[in-house]
Amino acid sequence: MKFKRSDFPQDFIFGTATSSYQIEGHSFGGAGPTHWDTFAAKPGKILDGTDGAIACDHYNRWQEDLDLIKDAGFDSYRFSTSWARVMPEGRGAVNQEGLDFYERLVDGMLARGIKPMATLYHWEMPAALDALGGWQNADVADWFAEFTDVIAKRLGDRLFSTATINEPWCVSWLSHFEGHHAPGLQDIKATARAMHHVLKAHGKSVQVLRQNGVKDVGIVCNFEGTMPADDSVESARAAARYEAIYNRFFLQGIFEGTYPEEVLEGLGPHLPAGWKDDMALIQQPLEWVGVNYYTAKAFRETDGPWPSCETVRTGADTTHMNWEIHPDHLTKLLKWIADTYTKDLPLYVTENGMAGEHTLNDQDRVSYLNGHVLAAKSAMDAGVPLGGYTFWSLMDNYEWAFGYAERFGLVHVDFDTLERTPKVSYLALRDAMSQ
Ligand code: FCB
Protein backbone atom coordinates (compact mmCIF):
# COMPACT_ATOMS: atom_id res chain seq x y z
CA MET A 1 0.00 0.00 0.00
CA LYS A 2 1.08 3.59 -0.56
CA PHE A 3 -0.16 4.62 2.88
CA LYS A 4 0.45 3.46 6.43
CA ARG A 5 -1.34 3.88 9.73
CA SER A 6 1.13 6.51 10.95
CA ASP A 7 0.12 8.82 8.08
CA PHE A 8 -3.21 9.26 9.89
CA PRO A 9 -4.16 10.77 13.27
CA GLN A 10 -3.73 8.37 16.20
CA ASP A 11 -7.43 7.91 16.79
CA PHE A 12 -8.24 7.33 13.09
CA ILE A 13 -10.27 4.15 12.71
CA PHE A 14 -9.61 1.60 10.00
CA GLY A 15 -12.40 -0.91 9.64
CA THR A 16 -14.08 -3.40 7.38
CA ALA A 17 -17.76 -3.97 6.62
CA THR A 18 -20.36 -6.58 5.70
CA SER A 19 -24.12 -6.79 6.00
CA SER A 20 -26.32 -9.44 7.56
CA TYR A 21 -28.20 -10.84 4.53
CA GLN A 22 -25.05 -10.85 2.40
CA ILE A 23 -23.06 -13.13 4.73
CA GLU A 24 -25.05 -14.79 7.52
CA GLY A 25 -27.16 -17.43 5.78
CA HIS A 26 -30.75 -16.35 6.23
CA SER A 27 -32.13 -19.91 6.40
CA PHE A 28 -30.48 -20.47 9.80
CA GLY A 29 -31.64 -19.61 13.30
CA GLY A 30 -35.35 -18.94 12.92
CA ALA A 31 -35.15 -15.78 10.78
CA GLY A 32 -38.38 -14.75 9.07
CA PRO A 33 -38.68 -14.29 5.29
CA THR A 34 -37.66 -10.93 3.83
CA HIS A 35 -38.67 -8.94 0.78
CA TRP A 36 -35.30 -9.88 -0.69
CA ASP A 37 -36.28 -13.56 -0.56
CA THR A 38 -39.54 -12.73 -2.38
CA PHE A 39 -37.63 -10.69 -4.98
CA ALA A 40 -34.86 -13.26 -5.50
CA ALA A 41 -37.43 -16.00 -6.14
CA LYS A 42 -38.73 -14.13 -9.21
CA PRO A 43 -37.15 -15.28 -12.47
CA GLY A 44 -34.54 -12.93 -13.91
CA LYS A 45 -34.11 -10.65 -10.91
CA ILE A 46 -30.77 -12.07 -9.73
CA LEU A 47 -27.97 -12.59 -12.24
CA ASP A 48 -27.21 -16.16 -11.15
CA GLY A 49 -30.65 -16.91 -9.70
CA THR A 50 -29.35 -17.23 -6.13
CA ASP A 51 -30.42 -15.92 -2.72
CA GLY A 52 -28.88 -15.49 0.74
CA ALA A 53 -30.12 -18.77 2.26
CA ILE A 54 -26.56 -19.94 2.99
CA ALA A 55 -24.38 -17.00 1.81
CA CYS A 56 -21.05 -17.25 3.70
CA ASP A 57 -22.54 -19.26 6.56
CA HIS A 58 -21.31 -16.51 8.86
CA TYR A 59 -24.12 -17.44 11.26
CA ASN A 60 -22.10 -20.54 12.12
CA ARG A 61 -18.58 -19.30 11.30
CA TRP A 62 -18.67 -15.88 12.95
CA GLN A 63 -15.78 -16.61 15.32
CA GLU A 64 -13.44 -17.44 12.45
CA ASP A 65 -14.59 -14.27 10.66
CA LEU A 66 -13.98 -12.06 13.71
CA ASP A 67 -10.51 -13.63 13.98
CA LEU A 68 -9.81 -12.58 10.39
CA ILE A 69 -10.81 -9.01 11.28
CA LYS A 70 -8.60 -9.01 14.34
CA ASP A 71 -5.62 -10.63 12.61
CA ALA A 72 -5.63 -7.97 9.90
CA GLY A 73 -5.44 -5.28 12.59
CA PHE A 74 -8.75 -3.57 11.83
CA ASP A 75 -10.00 -1.28 14.61
CA SER A 76 -13.67 -1.63 13.80
CA TYR A 77 -16.20 -3.90 12.17
CA ARG A 78 -19.29 -2.47 10.52
CA PHE A 79 -22.01 -5.15 10.60
CA SER A 80 -25.79 -5.01 10.37
CA THR A 81 -28.68 -6.51 12.30
CA SER A 82 -31.32 -8.31 10.26
CA TRP A 83 -34.80 -7.09 11.19
CA ALA A 84 -36.43 -10.38 10.12
CA ARG A 85 -33.89 -12.45 12.06
CA VAL A 86 -34.74 -10.55 15.23
CA MET A 87 -38.47 -10.08 14.56
CA PRO A 88 -39.59 -12.69 12.00
CA GLU A 89 -42.94 -10.94 11.44
CA GLY A 90 -41.36 -7.50 11.61
CA ARG A 91 -43.41 -6.60 14.71
CA GLY A 92 -44.40 -8.28 17.93
CA ALA A 93 -42.66 -11.55 18.74
CA VAL A 94 -38.87 -11.51 19.11
CA ASN A 95 -36.80 -14.48 17.93
CA GLN A 96 -34.52 -14.76 20.98
CA GLU A 97 -32.09 -16.95 19.07
CA GLY A 98 -31.57 -14.16 16.54
CA LEU A 99 -31.05 -11.54 19.21
CA ASP A 100 -28.67 -13.85 21.08
CA PHE A 101 -26.65 -14.25 17.89
CA TYR A 102 -26.05 -10.49 17.63
CA GLU A 103 -25.18 -10.32 21.30
CA ARG A 104 -22.56 -13.06 20.92
CA LEU A 105 -21.23 -11.28 17.85
CA VAL A 106 -20.89 -7.92 19.61
CA ASP A 107 -19.33 -9.51 22.68
CA GLY A 108 -17.00 -11.44 20.35
CA MET A 109 -15.86 -8.16 18.82
CA LEU A 110 -15.29 -6.55 22.20
CA ALA A 111 -13.33 -9.59 23.41
CA ARG A 112 -11.03 -9.16 20.39
CA GLY A 113 -10.67 -5.40 20.83
CA ILE A 114 -12.76 -4.61 17.74
CA LYS A 115 -15.16 -1.64 17.85
CA PRO A 116 -18.71 -2.68 16.88
CA MET A 117 -20.22 -0.25 14.31
CA ALA A 118 -23.82 -1.37 13.94
CA THR A 119 -26.24 -0.61 11.12
CA LEU A 120 -29.85 -1.35 11.99
CA TYR A 121 -31.24 -1.73 8.45
CA HIS A 122 -29.25 -3.00 5.50
CA TRP A 123 -32.03 -3.88 3.08
CA GLU A 124 -33.97 -6.83 4.42
CA MET A 125 -37.52 -5.72 5.11
CA PRO A 126 -39.50 -8.52 6.78
CA ALA A 127 -41.83 -10.00 4.15
CA ALA A 128 -44.84 -9.56 6.46
CA LEU A 129 -44.27 -5.78 6.43
CA ASP A 130 -43.51 -5.69 2.72
CA ALA A 131 -46.97 -7.22 2.23
CA LEU A 132 -48.40 -4.14 4.00
CA GLY A 133 -46.62 -1.82 1.56
CA GLY A 134 -43.15 -1.78 3.13
CA TRP A 135 -41.41 1.57 2.68
CA GLN A 136 -44.51 2.99 0.96
CA ASN A 137 -46.59 2.68 4.13
CA ALA A 138 -46.26 5.66 6.51
CA ASP A 139 -46.48 3.24 9.46
CA VAL A 140 -43.03 1.90 8.54
CA ALA A 141 -41.59 4.57 10.84
CA ASP A 142 -43.38 3.02 13.84
CA TRP A 143 -42.49 -0.52 12.80
CA PHE A 144 -38.82 0.44 12.48
CA ALA A 145 -38.96 2.23 15.82
CA GLU A 146 -40.20 -1.00 17.46
CA PHE A 147 -37.30 -2.97 15.96
CA THR A 148 -34.85 -0.22 16.96
CA ASP A 149 -36.07 -0.44 20.54
CA VAL A 150 -35.42 -4.20 20.71
CA ILE A 151 -31.85 -3.81 19.42
CA ALA A 152 -31.15 -0.74 21.56
CA LYS A 153 -32.26 -2.48 24.76
CA ARG A 154 -30.11 -5.57 24.15
CA LEU A 155 -26.99 -4.15 22.46
CA GLY A 156 -27.12 -0.38 22.88
CA ASP A 157 -24.73 -0.21 25.80
CA ARG A 158 -21.91 -1.96 23.87
CA LEU A 159 -21.95 -0.40 20.42
CA PHE A 160 -19.18 1.94 19.32
CA SER A 161 -21.58 3.60 16.90
CA THR A 162 -25.04 2.98 15.50
CA ALA A 163 -26.38 3.89 12.07
CA THR A 164 -30.11 3.73 11.46
CA ILE A 165 -30.28 3.00 7.73
CA ASN A 166 -27.80 1.93 5.08
CA GLU A 167 -28.05 3.92 1.84
CA PRO A 168 -31.53 5.53 1.78
CA TRP A 169 -31.11 6.12 -1.98
CA CYS A 170 -30.86 2.37 -2.61
CA VAL A 171 -33.71 1.61 -0.22
CA SER A 172 -35.98 4.01 -2.11
CA TRP A 173 -34.87 5.07 -5.62
CA LEU A 174 -32.95 1.99 -6.73
CA SER A 175 -35.67 -0.31 -5.42
CA HIS A 176 -38.88 1.63 -6.25
CA PHE A 177 -37.93 3.73 -9.31
CA GLU A 178 -35.29 1.66 -11.10
CA GLY A 179 -36.62 -1.65 -9.80
CA HIS A 180 -33.15 -3.21 -9.51
CA HIS A 181 -33.52 -4.16 -5.85
CA ALA A 182 -36.38 -5.51 -3.72
CA PRO A 183 -39.29 -4.85 -3.92
CA GLY A 184 -38.44 -4.31 -7.59
CA LEU A 185 -40.94 -1.54 -8.43
CA GLN A 186 -40.79 1.08 -11.17
CA ASP A 187 -43.35 3.48 -9.80
CA ILE A 188 -42.84 7.18 -9.19
CA LYS A 189 -45.45 7.45 -6.43
CA ALA A 190 -43.96 4.49 -4.57
CA THR A 191 -40.53 6.11 -4.98
CA ALA A 192 -41.58 9.46 -3.55
CA ARG A 193 -43.25 7.80 -0.59
CA ALA A 194 -40.29 5.51 0.07
CA MET A 195 -37.80 8.39 -0.13
CA HIS A 196 -39.74 10.35 2.46
CA HIS A 197 -40.66 7.43 4.69
CA VAL A 198 -37.10 6.15 4.89
CA LEU A 199 -36.13 9.50 6.40
CA LYS A 200 -39.15 9.51 8.69
CA ALA A 201 -38.18 6.03 9.92
CA HIS A 202 -34.62 7.27 10.43
CA GLY A 203 -35.88 10.18 12.55
CA LYS A 204 -38.06 7.98 14.77
CA SER A 205 -35.28 5.45 15.13
CA VAL A 206 -32.87 8.17 16.29
CA GLN A 207 -35.40 9.24 18.92
CA VAL A 208 -35.75 5.67 20.20
CA LEU A 209 -31.97 5.21 20.32
CA ARG A 210 -31.68 8.40 22.39
CA GLN A 211 -34.48 7.29 24.75
CA ASN A 212 -32.45 4.14 25.38
CA GLY A 213 -29.26 6.12 26.03
CA VAL A 214 -27.51 4.86 22.89
CA LYS A 215 -24.60 7.14 21.98
CA ASP A 216 -22.88 8.02 18.71
CA VAL A 217 -25.83 7.78 16.39
CA GLY A 218 -25.58 8.44 12.65
CA ILE A 219 -26.78 7.41 9.21
CA VAL A 220 -24.94 5.88 6.25
CA CYS A 221 -25.66 7.46 2.86
CA ASN A 222 -24.24 6.63 -0.54
CA PHE A 223 -22.79 9.23 -2.88
CA GLU A 224 -21.64 9.24 -6.47
CA GLY A 225 -19.42 11.82 -8.12
CA THR A 226 -21.51 13.60 -10.77
CA MET A 227 -20.30 15.60 -13.78
CA PRO A 228 -21.86 16.98 -16.95
CA ALA A 229 -20.92 14.98 -20.06
CA ASP A 230 -20.01 18.17 -21.97
CA ASP A 231 -20.14 21.98 -21.71
CA SER A 232 -23.82 22.35 -22.64
CA VAL A 233 -26.44 23.88 -20.36
CA GLU A 234 -28.55 20.76 -20.86
CA SER A 235 -25.85 18.42 -19.56
CA ALA A 236 -25.19 20.68 -16.59
CA ARG A 237 -28.90 20.57 -15.80
CA ALA A 238 -29.04 16.76 -16.10
CA ALA A 239 -26.04 16.34 -13.80
CA ALA A 240 -27.54 18.74 -11.27
CA ARG A 241 -30.83 16.82 -11.27
CA TYR A 242 -29.13 13.50 -10.69
CA GLU A 243 -26.96 15.01 -7.98
CA ALA A 244 -30.05 16.36 -6.24
CA ILE A 245 -31.74 12.94 -6.26
CA TYR A 246 -28.67 10.95 -5.29
CA ASN A 247 -26.42 13.17 -3.20
CA ARG A 248 -28.58 15.96 -1.82
CA PHE A 249 -32.11 14.74 -1.06
CA PHE A 250 -31.36 12.82 2.13
CA LEU A 251 -28.73 15.11 3.69
CA GLN A 252 -30.75 18.22 2.88
CA GLY A 253 -33.76 16.60 4.55
CA ILE A 254 -31.78 15.74 7.67
CA PHE A 255 -29.65 18.88 7.95
CA GLU A 256 -31.94 21.57 6.51
CA GLY A 257 -35.43 20.13 6.83
CA THR A 258 -36.17 20.70 3.12
CA TYR A 259 -35.91 18.80 -0.16
CA PRO A 260 -34.08 20.07 -3.26
CA GLU A 261 -36.23 21.93 -5.83
CA GLU A 262 -34.84 19.73 -8.61
CA VAL A 263 -36.33 16.68 -6.87
CA LEU A 264 -39.64 18.32 -5.94
CA GLU A 265 -40.15 19.12 -9.66
CA GLY A 266 -40.60 15.41 -10.30
CA LEU A 267 -41.57 13.89 -6.96
CA GLY A 268 -43.46 16.79 -5.34
CA PRO A 269 -46.94 15.69 -6.51
CA HIS A 270 -46.30 12.15 -5.31
CA LEU A 271 -45.03 12.81 -1.79
CA PRO A 272 -47.38 11.73 1.01
CA ALA A 273 -49.89 14.36 2.15
CA GLY A 274 -48.58 16.51 4.98
CA TRP A 275 -44.94 15.50 4.42
CA LYS A 276 -43.68 18.89 5.57
CA ASP A 277 -45.02 18.13 9.06
CA ASP A 278 -42.46 15.31 9.34
CA MET A 279 -39.42 17.47 8.64
CA ALA A 280 -38.81 18.36 12.29
CA LEU A 281 -38.72 14.66 13.15
CA ILE A 282 -36.33 14.00 10.26
CA GLN A 283 -33.97 16.74 11.47
CA GLN A 284 -32.78 14.85 14.57
CA PRO A 285 -29.23 15.91 15.49
CA LEU A 286 -26.60 13.25 14.74
CA GLU A 287 -23.07 12.56 15.99
CA TRP A 288 -21.63 11.49 12.63
CA VAL A 289 -22.46 10.72 9.00
CA GLY A 290 -21.23 7.72 7.03
CA VAL A 291 -20.19 8.07 3.40
CA ASN A 292 -20.31 5.09 1.04
CA TYR A 293 -18.42 5.79 -2.15
CA TYR A 294 -17.64 3.64 -5.21
CA THR A 295 -17.86 5.61 -8.46
CA ALA A 296 -18.63 8.78 -10.44
CA LYS A 297 -20.71 9.33 -13.58
CA ALA A 298 -21.13 11.86 -16.38
CA PHE A 299 -24.64 12.89 -17.51
CA ARG A 300 -26.49 14.38 -20.45
CA GLU A 301 -30.14 15.33 -20.83
CA THR A 302 -32.66 13.17 -22.71
CA ASP A 303 -36.13 13.81 -24.17
CA GLY A 304 -37.57 11.08 -21.94
CA PRO A 305 -39.70 11.54 -18.82
CA TRP A 306 -38.34 13.16 -15.66
CA PRO A 307 -35.55 13.01 -14.50
CA SER A 308 -34.57 13.06 -18.20
CA CYS A 309 -30.93 12.20 -17.79
CA GLU A 310 -28.64 9.39 -18.89
CA THR A 311 -25.05 8.44 -18.19
CA VAL A 312 -22.23 8.80 -20.69
CA ARG A 313 -18.94 6.91 -20.36
CA THR A 314 -15.94 9.14 -19.63
CA GLY A 315 -13.34 6.58 -20.71
CA ALA A 316 -12.00 6.06 -17.18
CA ASP A 317 -10.97 2.52 -16.16
CA THR A 318 -13.79 0.40 -14.77
CA THR A 319 -14.16 -2.31 -12.14
CA HIS A 320 -15.66 -5.77 -12.70
CA MET A 321 -19.09 -4.19 -12.04
CA ASN A 322 -18.37 -1.80 -14.92
CA TRP A 323 -18.27 1.09 -12.47
CA GLU A 324 -15.84 3.85 -13.47
CA ILE A 325 -12.91 4.45 -11.14
CA HIS A 326 -12.68 8.11 -10.00
CA PRO A 327 -10.83 8.52 -6.68
CA ASP A 328 -10.62 12.32 -7.14
CA HIS A 329 -14.40 12.53 -6.76
CA LEU A 330 -14.12 11.06 -3.26
CA THR A 331 -11.98 14.04 -2.24
CA LYS A 332 -14.46 16.46 -3.81
CA LEU A 333 -17.49 14.77 -2.28
CA LEU A 334 -16.06 14.68 1.25
CA LYS A 335 -15.25 18.39 1.06
CA TRP A 336 -18.65 19.22 -0.42
CA ILE A 337 -20.57 17.18 2.17
CA ALA A 338 -18.71 18.84 5.04
CA ASP A 339 -18.94 22.37 3.58
CA THR A 340 -22.60 22.09 2.60
CA TYR A 341 -24.25 19.99 5.28
CA THR A 342 -22.26 18.36 8.05
CA LYS A 343 -19.72 21.14 8.90
CA ASP A 344 -17.70 20.03 11.98
CA LEU A 345 -19.52 16.73 12.42
CA PRO A 346 -17.22 13.72 11.99
CA LEU A 347 -17.56 11.89 8.68
CA TYR A 348 -16.59 8.25 8.22
CA VAL A 349 -16.04 6.47 4.95
CA THR A 350 -18.31 3.56 5.80
CA GLU A 351 -17.88 1.65 2.52
CA ASN A 352 -15.37 1.70 -0.28
CA GLY A 353 -14.05 -1.18 -2.34
CA MET A 354 -14.35 -2.88 -5.67
CA ALA A 355 -15.47 -6.02 -7.44
CA GLY A 356 -12.43 -7.38 -9.23
CA GLU A 357 -10.98 -10.35 -10.99
CA HIS A 358 -11.71 -13.63 -9.25
CA THR A 359 -8.17 -14.18 -8.02
CA LEU A 360 -6.23 -14.21 -4.78
CA ASN A 361 -3.61 -11.92 -6.32
CA ASP A 362 -5.96 -8.92 -6.46
CA GLN A 363 -3.54 -6.18 -7.48
CA ASP A 364 -6.49 -4.35 -9.08
CA ARG A 365 -8.10 -4.01 -5.65
CA VAL A 366 -4.82 -2.95 -4.01
CA SER A 367 -4.46 -0.14 -6.50
CA TYR A 368 -8.15 0.90 -6.23
CA LEU A 369 -7.96 1.05 -2.42
CA ASN A 370 -4.65 2.91 -2.53
CA GLY A 371 -6.12 5.59 -4.78
CA HIS A 372 -9.22 6.05 -2.67
CA VAL A 373 -7.54 6.09 0.74
CA LEU A 374 -5.10 8.71 -0.53
CA ALA A 375 -8.05 10.70 -1.94
CA ALA A 376 -9.69 10.65 1.49
CA LYS A 377 -6.40 11.75 3.05
CA SER A 378 -6.34 14.75 0.69
CA ALA A 379 -9.78 15.74 1.95
CA MET A 380 -8.51 15.47 5.54
CA ASP A 381 -5.50 17.62 4.67
CA ALA A 382 -7.97 20.19 3.35
CA GLY A 383 -9.73 20.22 6.75
CA VAL A 384 -12.48 17.59 6.44
CA PRO A 385 -13.05 15.95 9.87
CA LEU A 386 -12.79 12.34 8.67
CA GLY A 387 -12.73 9.90 11.58
CA GLY A 388 -12.25 6.59 9.81
CA TYR A 389 -12.17 4.49 6.67
CA THR A 390 -14.10 1.24 6.23
CA PHE A 391 -13.31 -1.24 3.48
CA TRP A 392 -16.11 -3.08 1.67
CA SER A 393 -15.96 -5.98 2.18
CA LEU A 394 -14.31 -8.31 4.65
CA MET A 395 -15.07 -11.26 2.39
CA ASP A 396 -16.69 -12.22 -0.91
CA ASN A 397 -20.42 -12.40 -0.31
CA TYR A 398 -23.92 -12.26 -1.78
CA GLU A 399 -23.79 -9.17 -3.97
CA TRP A 400 -27.55 -8.56 -4.19
CA ALA A 401 -28.82 -8.58 -7.81
CA PHE A 402 -25.45 -9.99 -8.93
CA GLY A 403 -25.73 -12.98 -6.62
CA TYR A 404 -22.35 -14.65 -6.08
CA ALA A 405 -21.02 -13.52 -9.47
CA GLU A 406 -19.33 -10.34 -8.21
CA ARG A 407 -16.64 -10.47 -5.52
CA PHE A 408 -15.80 -7.48 -3.32
CA GLY A 409 -13.92 -9.37 -0.60
CA LEU A 410 -10.51 -8.79 0.93
CA VAL A 411 -10.86 -12.46 1.82
CA HIS A 412 -11.78 -15.01 -0.84
CA VAL A 413 -14.71 -17.33 -0.10
CA ASP A 414 -15.05 -20.66 -1.90
CA PHE A 415 -18.85 -20.93 -2.13
CA ASP A 416 -18.72 -24.73 -2.41
CA THR A 417 -16.59 -25.41 0.67
CA LEU A 418 -17.10 -21.97 2.35
CA GLU A 419 -13.38 -21.91 3.02
CA ARG A 420 -11.94 -18.41 3.59
CA THR A 421 -8.55 -17.41 2.11
CA PRO A 422 -7.02 -13.94 2.55
CA LYS A 423 -6.28 -12.16 -0.74
CA VAL A 424 -3.21 -10.01 -1.45
CA SER A 425 -5.29 -6.88 -0.62
CA TYR A 426 -6.01 -8.22 2.90
CA LEU A 427 -2.29 -8.86 3.46
CA ALA A 428 -1.34 -5.45 2.05
CA LEU A 429 -3.83 -3.69 4.34
CA ARG A 430 -2.55 -5.70 7.31
CA ASP A 431 0.97 -4.47 6.57
CA ALA A 432 -0.13 -0.87 6.06
CA MET A 433 -2.13 -0.83 9.29
CA SER A 434 0.75 -2.30 11.32
CA GLN A 435 3.15 0.51 10.35
C1 FCB B 1 -23.35 -0.91 -1.42
C2 FCB B 1 -24.06 -1.77 -0.41
C3 FCB B 1 -23.32 -3.02 -0.03
C4 FCB B 1 -22.62 -3.65 -1.21
C5 FCB B 1 -21.82 -2.63 -1.97
C6 FCB B 1 -21.05 -3.17 -3.15
O1 FCB B 1 -24.27 -0.13 -2.11
O2 FCB B 1 -24.30 -1.04 0.76
O3 FCB B 1 -24.22 -3.91 0.58
O4 FCB B 1 -23.53 -4.31 -2.00
O5 FCB B 1 -22.66 -1.60 -2.42
Side-chain angles (χ1 to χ4, degrees):
M1 288 294 176
K2 294 194 178 121
F3 64 91
K4 49 189 185 310
R5 187 182 278 281
S6 56
D7 299 338
F8 290 79
Q10 251 186 354
D11 56 354
F12 194 79
I13 291 167
F14 285 103
T16 187
T18 64
S19 88
S20 49
Y21 191 85
Q22 292 179 274
I23 63 165
E24 286 171 4
H26 200 72
S27 55
F28 308 125
T34 74
H35 72 169
W36 195 276
D37 299 301
T38 319
F39 180 72
K42 292 183 184 156
K45 297 296 182 197
I46 313 296
L47 189 64
D48 59 4
T50 57
D51 60 24
I54 311 279
C56 304
D57 188 31
H58 171 75
Y59 188 77
N60 296 304
R61 297 168 195 248
W62 60 273
Q63 308 214 42
E64 176 188 349
D65 294 337
L66 292 187
D67 287 343
L68 280 165
I69 297 170
K70 177 177 192 270
D71 293 346
F74 288 115
D75 309 305
S76 67
Y77 175 40
R78 178 170 173 248
F79 70 109
S80 75
T81 47
S82 163
W83 189 345
R85 177 177 297 292
V86 173
M87 302 174 91
E89 293 292 315
R91 296 177 289 178
V94 170
N95 172 29
Q96 287 303 333
E97 189 181 342
L99 204 48
D100 291 348
F101 168 72
Y102 291 118
E103 183 160 55
R104 281 198 301 276
L105 190 67
V106 168
D107 287 343
M109 290 180 223
L110 295 174
R112 290 168 179 80
I114 301 165
K115 296 175 166 55
M117 295 176 74
T119 300
L120 297 175
Y121 183 79
H122 199 127
W123 303 357
E124 61 282 267
M125 168 75 65
L129 300 182
D130 179 47
L132 299 177
W135 291 106
Q136 292 181 69
N137 189 327
D139 293 342
V140 70
D142 295 322
W143 306 334
F144 188 55
E146 192 182 331
F147 168 59
T148 302
D149 192 57
V150 172
I151 297 288
K153 290 207 156 57
R154 181 66 82 87
L155 304 178
D157 57 335
R158 279 159 284 172
L159 300 175
F160 172 73
S161 67
T162 305
T164 53
I165 310 262
N166 179 67
E167 301 190 347
W169 179 87
C170 290
V171 171
S172 52
W173 188 273
L174 185 68
S175 311
H176 297 76
F177 193 85
E178 297 187 10
H180 294 318
H181 279 185
L185 303 180
Q186 290 183 311
D187 176 331
I188 195 165
K189 183 159 186 247
T191 305
R193 296 178 67 84
M195 283 176 83
H196 181 67
H197 291 153
V198 75
L199 285 180
K200 190 173 172 186
H202 157 78
K204 277 233 164 167
S205 176
V206 174
Q207 285 185 330
V208 171
L209 291 166
R210 303 270 182 238
Q211 282 156 15
N212 282 285
V214 179
K215 301 199 174 63
D216 296 308
V217 174
I219 187 168
V220 170
C221 294
N222 50 327
F223 299 88
E224 282 185 359
T226 51
M227 47 197 148
D230 50 53
D231 293 339
S232 68
V233 181
E234 290 79 11
S235 293
R237 220 160 40 201
R241 218 175 287 134
Y242 187 82
E243 184 181 48
I245 296 167
Y246 204 115
N247 294 340
R248 289 172 47 210
F249 184 87
F250 303 99
L251 288 190
Q252 190 169 317
I254 293 170
F255 288 93
E256 296 179 0
T258 59
Y259 292 143
E261 276 309 316
E262 293 91 334
V263 184
L264 291 176
E265 274 169 20
L267 294 190
H270 306 289
L271 282 165
W275 61 270
K276 286 189 181 153
D277 299 340
D278 296 328
M279 297 317 279
L281 171 65
I282 287 170
Q283 277 186 278
Q284 299 301 309
L286 301 175
E287 275 77 48
W288 59 278
V289 166
V291 174
N292 290 358
Y293 176 79
Y294 291 93
T295 189
K297 289 177 182 151
F299 291 90
R300 71 175 164 223
E301 203 160 62
T302 69
D303 297 335
W306 185 87
S308 324
C309 56
E310 66 183 8
T311 55
V312 180
R313 288 281 169 195
T314 70
D317 289 346
T318 56
T319 70
H320 214 256
M321 298 282 275
N322 237 333
W323 294 349
E324 290 191 4
I325 303 175
H326 290 284
D328 53 319
H329 278 269
L330 176 58
T331 316
K332 285 189 210 162
L333 273 169
L334 288 170
K335 285 196 216 161
W336 172 79
I337 293 165
D339 287 349
T340 315
Y341 297 114
T342 57
K343 316 288 178 193
D344 295 334
L345 213 61
L347 295 177
Y348 288 84
V349 172
T350 32
E351 282 183 32
N352 174 249
M354 70 172 281
E357 295 304 324
H358 298 182
T359 167
L360 290 180
N361 188 11
D362 58 341
Q363 295 298 341
D364 51 352
R365 183 169 291 103
V366 169
S367 115
Y368 178 98
L369 296 179
N370 253 326
H372 286 78
V373 170
L374 293 179
K377 180 72 169 50
S378 300
M380 293 172 75
D381 294 342
V384 173
L386 190 70
Y389 204 101
T390 320
F391 300 97
W392 184 273
S393 176
L394 169 65
M395 56 188 160
D396 295 336
N397 57 46
Y398 180 69
E399 180 44 40
W400 304 112
F402 295 88
Y404 298 97
E406 293 291 352
R407 293 172 174 266
F408 278 83
L410 304 171
V411 172
H412 177 270
V413 176
D414 178 326
F415 288 107
D416 293 325
T417 63
L418 295 168
E419 189 188 344
R420 280 87 159 128
T421 312
K423 300 181 191 176
V424 163
S425 56
Y426 171 98
L427 302 172
L429 280 176
R430 188 181 67 184
D431 282 353
M433 291 186 296
S434 70
Q435 291 171 45

